[in-house]
Structure formats: C-alpha cells, structure tokens
C-alpha cells in the first residue's frame, strides 16, 4: 500500500453505511423481460426524482419476522431478513404483496385491500393466515453506495416474479408513477434525458437486458451469491461526474489517488502536463495516441524536489514531450530508466539526458537483444541487474525520506523487458508487460510466449512478497487489485493458447490465416493481422511443449 505520507489528499472516513434492501419485480411482457420501476419524490433525501426499484432501509422488525416467512434451505439468515425487508417495502410503496396462504395460493387483490399499508406488515399477514414469500426472492447483486456520498447504504438488489392478479399502486408520498419497462427501453429513455436514473440502477439494467425472460434471471440467481458486488468510485471526465465499477478501466486509478472516495481526480487524457498520482509519482502521457498505443505512452516521474527524480520510460523521440518531462522534474533527474527498447519507450532517453545539467543522469535498462527489430535498437549507459535497487534519499523533518525502485526482469513482450517495483509504496511499473484495456502483443522473435507466462508468475510472486496492490502500465490508467489482474491475464493467455491449439489440431495443414480466424473468432477481423503476431508466439510455445507438430 502507498505510504499515507505520499497520498495527495488528506485521509478521511467515508460516511457509514446503513443496511437496506431493493427488489426488482419482474414479469414477462410481449417483447420480453420487464421490470417495475417508480419515480422517487422530488423532495426525497436520496436520489430525488430518480426512477428506481422499490426498497428501503432494513428495520428491526424484519429480522424478527423469520417465523412468518417461507425460506429456501440455502437462504442465510441475512438473506431472509433482506427478503422480508424487500417484501415489506414493495407493499408499503407499491401495494404489491409477495405472500401465500397456507395452501400455497398467492395473496390476492382482496387480501391486499384488507391490509393497512401504514401498519406493520408481518402481524397483519399472520392475522389473515398469510406467510411472506421470502423463498421466492433471490439475490441478484450487492451494491454499496459510493464513498463520496454523504448518505450511504449497503444494499442487496433482489429479484422476484411479480404476483399475478396484482396491480402496483404508488403510495404518492415516497414513490410515484409505477411503470413496467424493458431494461433496454429504460436505458434508451435515460440517454435521451427522459428517465433519470442513478448509477447502480443503470448498471443493473445494463446487465439485466441480457436476459430474455424472468425464468432465466431467477435461474442465474439460484447460487445464493450476488452475481456482482460493487462499491463504485467517482472522478471527473470531460468536466462531468463519472462513476465506475471495479472491472472498469479507471477504477484502480481512483482507488490509488483518492482511496477514501473524494471526487477530486480528473480522468481526461492529455499530454500537456503531468498528472499527480501520489506526492512522489507523476504520469506524463506522450502525444502518440493510436491503435497500438491507446491514449499514448505513459512516462512516469518517481521522486520529489528534495530527492530528485527517476524517469521511467521517457517515451518516443518527441521534443515537446521530452521538454515537458524535464520541466516537470525541475532539471532534477537522477536516473532515466527504460522498461524495454520499443520505439515508443526508449528513443526519448538520450534527448532527455542532453537537456539535463551536469552531472548527466545515466540511462539504464537492458540493451536490445539480437532478436530486436531495427526500430527497437537501444544501448543504455549501463545495464541493470535483476533485483538492482535505485534509491533516492533526502533529509526531511519527519526523518530521511527514501524512494527505492527495484528492477524485475520480465522478458516476453520483448527480450529486454524489465518492470520496476517502488518498494516503499507497493507499486509495480509494468511497462508493456501488463496494460490497462488490452493485452500486450508478444511478437517473435523478440517476443516469446513461454518467457511471457513465466514473467507473469514472477510478477505474481512480487505482488505477494512486496504487498503490491497497484500496477502502473505504460498504456492506460492505473490498475488496482494487482494479484487478481495478473491471475486473470494469465488465465486469458492460457485460454487463448488452448484455442490456438484446437485450431492447429483441427486443421494441421492450415495456414496462419486459417488458424487466426478460428482462434480469434471472438475479436473483429480487423484485429487479426495484429493478433497473428501473438498467435505465432503461441504456436511456437505449443510446439516447444510438444503439444502439436
């Protein structure tokens, strides 16, 4: 974890969460799955005016009503309480009652008419011989309100089939205008500015639209575990509020820069000025955005004015970018290091060195190997050793301040590829070995798939030994949950290799074009020419293992 002293913003405790429950009442419409939604009061303290699913805070009576509810054998006590709360809220807000008579018959409109929506529900149901149908309520998702908001809830999103013969009637106090809507239609109306919804509602509907009917949703939820759990993070993009779930590209960067959830970080890509990530880490992105480079190549400055700086990957031979790096460091550069010799990473090293005052900072890395292409030639002033440490130190009021960068050899993407660990803060600078938003190309002969996979294992060990939680790639935002990212990346590579092997075995006399069409059938054909480069690395690896001729 980064040292608290290096965080950009004062630490704070996010508002505590309150337990609540939300229920998505579903039915099969003429055009597919429909969900019941209502509009919240314009004066509501949370999400005023938004279209939502019925729900609210769990109260003590919900936990005391277990004996008055049906229950699946696999339904936990907590899930039962949540289901009861959701049933109660849907009754109070919409007059919809999920309950059954002793003989299994569902509650009718006549039963509902005899009940008082303002009085305790469980006791009224017991008096009429009704049991709350909690066994018919399943867990879909688990949402925890964003850390930046003043009112926060810990909310399971539950699902249940709408009882037949009942008509929702809003309470006209908390909820208004009940409406049945297809998820895709609700999303389209929101995009047109006609159906305001908050982030968790939007993301839930986005996933729900993949299901054709109620039965398929309920079947997906029988495992009793939420299909996803999320506590979103907020930043700014194009001057507007932007929120992201854990699997989305900016999430890890927001977790690093604003761990307590303050909405302060701007996510817009630009190459004009450095972006502070910690007090001792800045990112300056070169203006070379493109299909292969994404938003551009990230150069990093590690250090601070009193210690001087290490520049990681000075980037392409772009005079404007190089000058911005030099100015951002205040001509206090102590080392220039390159993760590898590709044309968007190392050519800026010598021009940057030339701008620096004497004594000139050394250019460090690994020299390009004989397998490197002509455009990837690189000769450092000195070759780094594996596990070598580059240390910046300076006296400080709190004691000596130190920033230590350790080298980790990671051949695979390129034969001379290295990564770096900022030891005091548990950060991994991954170069092109791990990217955010795409998988790196492994291009023989300089790229080697066996080496690449071995290097992933090496980085997984580093994450465990050094407590690394964040990966700072050469392209894209910071990645969080480093160990999981590496595990998923290796799983993806092995799954792709299995498809390549299957294509080779199915068509042993086939061409590379034949194999790429089969092994990369899940990506657009325009990507196949690039995919063939990594596929060749897979083919060579498969043959080296003796798995195919």
């Amino acid at each position: 974890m980064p040292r608290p002293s290096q965080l950009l913003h004062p630490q704070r405790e996010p508002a505590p969460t309150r337990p609540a429950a939300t229920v998505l009442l579903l039915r099969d419409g003429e055009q597919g799955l429909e969900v019941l939604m209502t509009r919240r009061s314009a004066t509501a303290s949370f999400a005023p005016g938004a279209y939502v699913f019925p729900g609210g805070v769990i109260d003590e009576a919900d936990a005391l009503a277990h004996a008055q509810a049906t229950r699946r054998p696999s339904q936990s006590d907590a899930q039962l309480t949540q289901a009861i709360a959701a049933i109660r809220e849907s009754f109070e807000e919409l007059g919809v009652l999920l309950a059954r008579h002793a003989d299994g018959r569902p509650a009718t409109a006549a039963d509902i008419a005899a009940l008082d929506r303002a009085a305790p529900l469980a006791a009224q149901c017991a008096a009429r011989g009704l049991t709350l149908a909690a066994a018919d309520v399943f867990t879909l998702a688990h949402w925890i309100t964003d850390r930046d908001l003043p009112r926060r809830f810990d909310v399971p999103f539950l699902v249940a089939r709408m009882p037949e013969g009942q008509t929702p009637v809003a309470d006209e106090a908390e909820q208004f205008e009940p409406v049945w809507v297809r998820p895709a239609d609700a999303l389209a109306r929101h995009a047109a500015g006609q159906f305001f919804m908050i982030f968790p509602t939007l993301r839930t509907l986005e996933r729900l639209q993949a299901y054709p009917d109620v039965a398929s949703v309920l079947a997906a939820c029988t495992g009793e575990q939420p299909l996803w759990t999320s506590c979103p993070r907020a930043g700014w993009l194009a001057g507007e509020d932007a929120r992201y779930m854990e699997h989305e590209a900016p999430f890890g960067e927001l977790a690093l820069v604003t761990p307590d959830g303050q909405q302060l970080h701007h996510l817009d890509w630009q190459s004009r000025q450095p972006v502070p990530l910690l007090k001792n880490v800045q990112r300056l992105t070169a203006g070379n955005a493109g299909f292969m480079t994404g938003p551009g190549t990230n150069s990093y400055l590690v250090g601070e004015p009193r210690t001087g700086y290490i520049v990681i990957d000075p980037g392409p031979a772009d005079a404007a970018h190089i000058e911005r790096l030099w100015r951002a460091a205040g001509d206090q550069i102590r080392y220039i290091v390159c993760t590898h010799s590709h044309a968007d990473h190392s050519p800026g090293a010598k021009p940057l060195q030339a701008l620096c005052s004497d004594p000139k900072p050394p250019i460090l890395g690994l020299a390009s190997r004989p397998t490197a292409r002509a455009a990837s030639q690189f000769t450092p002033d000195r070759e780094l050793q594996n596990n070598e440490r580059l240390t910046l130190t300076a006296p400080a009021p709190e004691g000596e301040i130190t920033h230590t960068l350790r080298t980790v050899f990671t051949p695979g993407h390129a034969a001379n590829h290295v990564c770096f660990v900022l030891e005091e803060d548990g950060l991994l600078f991954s170069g092109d070995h791990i990217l955010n938003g795409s998988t790196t190309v492994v291009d023989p002969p300089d790229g080697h798939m066996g080496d690449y996979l071995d290097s992933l294992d090496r980085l997984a060990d580093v994450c465990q030994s050094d407590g690394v939680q964040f990966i700072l790639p050469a392209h894209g935002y910071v990645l969080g949950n480093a160990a999981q990212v590496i595990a998923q990346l290796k799983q993806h590579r092995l799954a792709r290799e299995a498809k390549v092997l299957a294509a080779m075995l199915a068509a042993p006399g086939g061409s590379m074009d034949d194999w790429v069409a089969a092994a990369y059938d899940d990506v657009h054909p325009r990507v196949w020419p690039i995919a063939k480069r990594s596929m060749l690395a897979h083919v060579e690896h498969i043959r080296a293992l003796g798995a195919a001729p």
Side-chain angles (χ1 to χ4, degrees), residues 42 52 80 106 129-130 135 142 144 168 192 217 229 239 255 266 286 288-289 371 373 402 434 436 466 472 485 525:
V52 298
L80 183 59
L130 292 169
H142 180 193
I144 303 162
V217 177
T229 298
H266 291 262
N288 62 336
T371 50
R373 301 184 187 277
T402 304
I434 300 170
N436 190 341
D466 287 66
L472 285 68
V485 167

Side-chain angles (χ1 to χ4, degrees), residues 12 64 67 86 145 172 214 243 285 377 421 478 492 526-527:
R12 64 158 197 182
L64 298 175
T145 305
E172 300 295 325
V214 178
R243 294 180 185 270
T285 303
Q377 299 302 311
V421 176
V478 175
H492 170 78
R526 69 172 178 270
V527 180

Side-chain angles (χ1 to χ4, degrees), residues 352-372:
L352 178 60
Q353 184 187 54
L355 284 178
C356 296
S357 300
D358 292 329
K360 302 289 188 184
I363 298 170
L364 307 176
L366 295 181
S368 50
R369 300 321 193 207
T371 50

Side-chain angles (χ1 to χ4, degrees), residues 17 24 33 44 54 80 118 210 221 232 311 316 337 395 416 432 456 462 489 525:
T17 59
L24 283 69
L33 179 71
L80 183 59
C221 299
V311 176
V337 300
N416 67 334
D432 276 358
L456 283 179
V462 166
L489 181 55

Side-chain angles (χ1 to χ4, degrees), residues 229-244:
T229 298
S230 181
C231 180
R233 289 187 176 275
W236 296 100
L237 187 67
E240 296 185 354
D241 179 308
R243 294 180 185 270
Y244 300 94

Side-chain angles (χ1 to χ4, degrees), residues 197-237:
M197 295 181 286
I198 60 175
F199 184 85
T201 310
L202 289 167
R203 288 292 191 261
T204 300
L205 290 174
E206 286 172 359
R207 301 214 181 182
L208 202 62
Q209 66 182 336
Y211 294 92
D213 51 33
V214 178
S216 62
V217 177
L218 298 182
C221 299
T222 56
E224 303 292 9
Q225 295 301 311
L227 302 187
W228 71 91
T229 298
S230 181
C231 180
R233 289 187 176 275
W236 296 100
L237 187 67

Side-chain angles (χ1 to χ4, degrees), residues 324-396:
R324 291 187 189 108
L325 273 175
W326 175 73
R327 290 188 181 280
D331 194 22
Q332 297 296 314
I333 297 173
R334 303 291 181 255
Y335 303 98
I336 301 169
V337 300
C338 298
T339 59
H340 61 298
S341 55
H342 286 172
D344 61 321
H345 290 261
S346 64
K350 287 193 178 298
L352 178 60
Q353 184 187 54
L355 284 178
C356 296
S357 300
D358 292 329
K360 302 289 188 184
I363 298 170
L364 307 176
L366 295 181
S368 50
R369 300 321 193 207
T371 50
R373 301 184 187 277
S376 298
Q377 299 302 311
F378 170 66
T379 304
D381 295 333
R382 178 175 66 78
E383 286 215 348
L384 291 165
Q385 301 299 308
N386 195 28
N387 291 318
E388 180 176 344
R389 288 175 170 84
L390 305 175
T391 302
L392 303 173
T393 61

